[in-house]
Amino acid sequence: MKVMFVGLPKSGKSTLYAAVTGKAVDPYAPPEVHQAVVKVPDERLTHLTALCKPKKTIEATIEFYDVPGCSPEDAHGREDWRKFLPIARQAELLVVVVRDFANDAVPAHKDRVDAAADFTAMWDELIFADLDTVTTRVEKLEASLKKPTKTHDAEKRELALLSRCRDALESETPLSSVLTTDDERKLVSSFAFMTQKPIVCVRNVSDDEAGTAEGLPADHVEASLALSASIEAEIAQLEPEDRQLFLDDLGLATPARDRLIQTCYTACGLISFLTMGPDECRAWTIRKGSTAVEAAGKIHTDLAHGFIRGETVAYDDLVANTDMKGAKAAGKVRAEGRSYVVQDGDILNILSSA
Ligand SMILES: Nc1nc2c(ncn2[C@@H]2O[C@H](COP(=O)(O)OP(=O)(O)O)[C@@H](O)[C@H]2O)c(=O)[nH]1
Ligand SMILES: [Mg+2]
């Protein structure tokens, strides 16, 4: 999964990126996109590893991107930001970071601390970016339809859909509400519209609010959470044994990295299933609602082709019965067919003729 941090300048995107990835960003470097792959923390996988002592353990991963800030008020600022849009369009999820902390040393963008207004400003930019794409394409299609071409029917269909998209964007409706069928989404998939992506809103609060603040209520978002990016970036630098003490002091159960990753999973409709054995214990990411044969295909296409059945046990059932042997004895290991809907935390063993 690719996750992109977007927001106004000085909202704390790079600080949050450092907190989540452990990689600091030089604030004086020229604006550029930063990218890092983060292992998804999963206590279940840690426990299975302790149980099986496999040769290797492979965590699920998530890619984070830090995109330079957007200054919509001035034409250059908008143009500069739009240079990064082709990269931002590759994201499956946008994390909009809004500033809600005072810091005299680093004045806020336009000297304003107003998280709700900043979220709206960023949201408008996403709408404008899509509207530009749609308008340009509509004009091209209209011109093309005036000439005799063999592709008229397909062009007419696309034009009808994009005209609906344009109307929606003009009334500030995200394209996720317009493109509701697989056919519609396929027809315009090459545009990778920004307002089609799920959004998580992060309210970046001051250090003293780190343990108490709540997420910003905002329209069009899948989830909202509050954190203090600067304190979380400090926590990320600590040795693991000191980290929990620091978090306890702040009244936090887990670091922002874990909370954010969990929120991204939920916002994208993703879950994890696990595989275990003497060679390898591994966490896999799939869409919620995926079937056993789709999960098999995630591991290897051959496993899906030759699918016979999936031996399945819920993680909690395995733990409650100590190990796989115990779970089997307690009747908790089920044989499931190809259409079984995989649940978060299922431990799967796929039997295949391949
Ligand atoms: N007090 C405080 N300062 C922060 C916080 N988050 C970021 N900053 C500071 O604000 C400045 C801008 O942050 P940065 O992450 O570079 O913002 P970006 O422009 O959105 O990438 C940096 O000097 C950070 O140290 C926070 O939660 N609290
Ligand atoms: Mg930055």
Side-chain angles (χ1 to χ4, degrees), residues 46-299:
T46 314
H47 183 75
L48 293 190
T49 300
L51 209 61
C52 285
K53 303 187 180 55
K55 289 186 192 126
K56 61 181 174 193
T57 298
I58 305 179
E59 295 88 351
T61 56
I62 181 163
E63 264 178 81
F64 284 99
Y65 290 76
D66 175 33
V67 185
C70 172
S71 320
E73 302 81 3
D74 69 274
H76 285 304
R78 176 174 285 154
E79 257 171 52
D80 285 348
W81 183 68
R82 287 204 175 181
K83 284 185 200 141
F84 299 107
L85 266 179
I87 297 171
R89 288 196 188 286
Q90 294 169 19
E92 281 146 77
L93 173 83
L94 302 175
V95 172
V96 175
V97 182
V98 290
R99 174 164 173 157
D100 211 351
F101 62 87
N103 183 343
D104 292 341
V106 189
H109 182 61
K110 299 281 163 188
D111 263 337
R112 171 186 83 177
V113 178
D114 184 338
D118 288 356
F119 180 82
T120 306
M122 201 56 230
W123 170 254
D124 288 345
E125 280 315 300
L126 302 176
I127 292 268
F128 290 149
D130 282 354
L131 194 53
D132 258 13
T133 311
V134 168
T135 309
T136 308
R137 182 67 185 153
V138 163
E139 282 166 6
K140 263 206 181 129
L141 286 168
E142 282 171 346
S144 167
L145 278 165
K146 285 187 187 136
K147 295 179 224 145
T149 61
K150 285 184 186 152
T151 49
H152 264 192
D153 282 352
E155 286 178 347
K156 271 188 194 158
R157 246 183 298 132
E158 193 186 338
L159 181 60
L161 180 58
L162 287 180
S163 301
R164 276 206 286 134
C165 289
R166 187 179 53 188
D167 293 348
L169 291 166
E170 281 171 349
S171 60
E172 304 222 345
T173 303
L175 294 182
S176 53
S177 327
V178 179
L179 305 163
T180 50
T181 68
D182 284 345
D183 281 351
E184 288 170 339
R185 284 190 283 264
K186 208 169 152 198
L187 199 58
V188 296
S189 63
S190 61
F191 300 115
F193 290 125
M194 299 299 277
T195 64
Q196 237 186 309
K197 303 179 195 301
I199 291 178
V200 169
C201 176
V202 166
R203 178 174 164 226
N204 185 14
V205 297
S206 55
D207 302 4
D208 55 343
E209 286 184 278
T212 52
E214 294 190 354
L216 189 77
D219 288 338
H220 314 298
V221 302
E222 233 35 71
S224 278
L225 74 165
L227 51 83
S228 169
S230 58
I231 215 142
E232 295 284 353
E234 279 176 40
I235 294 171
Q237 297 301 321
L238 296 175
E239 294 300 325
E241 53 273 23
D242 298 333
R243 211 172 279 167
Q244 199 55 50
L245 289 175
F246 206 98
L247 287 166
D248 290 346
D249 255 8
L250 291 167
L252 290 167
T254 48
R257 183 192 63 159
D258 299 16
R259 278 179 282 143
L260 183 63
I261 289 177
Q262 195 47 54
T263 307
C264 292
Y265 261 67
T266 313
C268 276
L270 297 174
I271 56 165
S272 305
F273 74 90
L274 305 146
T275 51
M276 65 187 276
D279 285 337
E280 180 186 291
C281 284
R282 183 161 179 170
W284 306 81
T285 305
I286 47 167
R287 218 150 272 290
K288 198 173 173 189
S290 297
T291 59
V293 73
E294 285 166 337
K298 178 89 193 175
I299 301 171

